[in-house]
Amino acid sequence: MRRDHVCAGSVAAVVDIDAAIGFVVAHGDAVERARLSWLRTGTQPSPEVLDSAEVGQTLGGGWPASWGDEVASVDATCFRLAELDDLGALGRPSARRALDWLAAGQQPDGCWEEDRALADSAPEWARPGDPEARLYLTANAAFWLTVAGLDARAAGPLDHRVGGAYAGVVHAASQALAAHLRPDGSWPSFLAAGWLSAAVLHRQQMFYESAQIKAVLAERLPQASAADAAWLAVTLRRVGVDHQEWTLVAARRRLTETQRSDGGWSSDDGHQFDVHATLAVIRAFR
């Protein structure tokens, strides 16, 4: 049985990746199992799986959230892009339209906010008019435009800068994110806004600001949930942060402490997302 080791003090901590794979196979749906196959072996998903992963996209390019009727949501669109990334599908037309929709939704100050029509149904992290939600959504949208910009081949000329076709959009977002940092490196928003911002700023070569955030995150990791530790690790690795960087080592250590006896990890959003959380861990140890 294959295991991955992380140095945790003087004791070798172990993540059982084979058990995690078994959990996804046993409990995942067709899309989640296809994500596992792509992460493990680069196996291209079937057209049926891709159609299923892309279903529900609005004509404008975004996806609606389960809590938002038919109105496209920034948060839900970023979640779908994460799923498509696990399928190697960010270059498909569906993802390109979604990225274009995100870029077009940036506000003059460099930030993003959910549609006002979602005010009565949105959870706290996506509530229109809430400054904490605004910062989180900005970090999330900027992260995906950072990751996918050079590959998206959206309408218009590509740019050699970070973000490709979306370089100007990402740059404006990074300035907005940096402007919200406090002197001690903390930020006035949800925890996830921290690692998403750190990733964006890292790719913008704003290494000091990114390191400030990562120092705060490292202090929080010993008490972080499994889902948060996995999301942090995947986010920073996706933009090229070295896997031996101390924040990532701390995140992997936390994941060794939180694997369940069935091989999976628990999601903060309910058991129906445990497979998604487990896939994030598998990607973090990839």
Side-chain angles (χ1 to χ4, degrees):
M1 183 172 291
R2 183 164 57 89
R3 299 172 185 270
D4 288 85
H5 296 259
V6 178
C7 180
S10 60
V11 179
V14 178
V15 161
D16 190 338
I17 292 295
D18 285 326
I21 290 169
F23 178 81
V24 175
V25 171
H27 300 283
D29 60 23
V31 172
E32 289 164 333
R33 290 194 296 272
R35 289 166 63 189
L36 175 66
S37 295
W38 189 85
L39 289 172
R40 291 178 66 198
T41 63
T43 302
Q44 293 296 313
S46 68
E48 293 77 17
V49 164
L50 290 170
D51 288 344
S52 180
E54 295 167 350
V55 70
Q57 189 173 27
T58 65
L59 291 177
W63 277 277
S66 58
W67 39 261
D69 296 325
E70 299 302 316
V71 180
S73 158
V74 174
D75 186 53
T77 299
C78 291
F79 183 86
R80 287 293 191 105
L81 288 170
E83 290 188 319
L84 292 173
D85 193 29
D86 279 355
L87 293 166
L90 284 187
R92 284 172 56 83
S94 180
R96 293 200 298 267
R97 290 197 304 272
L99 291 160
D100 286 345
W101 178 81
L102 282 179
Q106 187 179 42
Q107 299 184 353
D109 63 355
C111 295
W112 278 263
E113 193 166 19
E114 295 287 19
D115 193 300
R116 290 284 175 177
L118 299 173
D120 293 334
S121 58
E124 60 178 346
W125 63 84
R127 192 168 295 145
D130 185 290
E132 294 188 15
R134 183 181 177 87
L135 190 60
Y136 159 70
L137 292 171
T138 298
N140 207 0
F143 170 75
W144 283 109
L145 292 169
T146 295
V147 166
L150 288 172
D151 298 329
R153 299 297 190 268
L158 287 175
D159 192 303
H160 71 279
R161 296 173 296 171
V162 173
Y166 309 115
V169 175
V170 174
H171 177 74
S174 69
Q175 296 302 306
L177 294 172
H180 282 86
L181 284 182
R182 298 171 178 140
D184 65 354
S186 61
W187 55 94
S189 186
F190 304 98
L191 191 62
W195 57 74
L196 291 163
S197 296
V200 172
L201 296 173
H202 175 84
R203 288 294 296 155
Q204 289 288 313
Q205 298 187 354
M206 299 172 73
F207 298 123
Y208 176 73
E209 293 84 351
S210 181
Q212 280 186 299
I213 297 172
K214 287 185 285 186
V216 175
L217 291 170
E219 294 178 356
R220 301 286 296 274
L221 275 168
Q223 291 79 42
S225 69
D228 280 349
W231 190 1
L232 180 153
V234 168
T235 298
L236 295 182
R237 287 295 294 138
R238 191 64 178 83
V239 296
V241 175
D242 190 273
H243 72 98
Q244 292 297 336
E245 200 269 346
W246 49 279
T247 311
L248 285 169
V249 172
R252 293 197 302 272
R253 180 180 299 133
R254 181 58 177 156
L255 293 171
T256 69
E257 301 167 348
T258 51
Q259 187 172 19
R260 301 188 315 220
S261 59
D262 63 0
W265 280 263
S266 299
S267 169
D268 297 335
D269 298 316
H271 66 87
Q272 66 270 32
F273 291 102
D274 286 354
V275 173
H276 179 77
T278 302
L279 283 165
V281 176
I282 292 169
R283 182 159 196 158
F285 278 88
R286 189 162 165 250

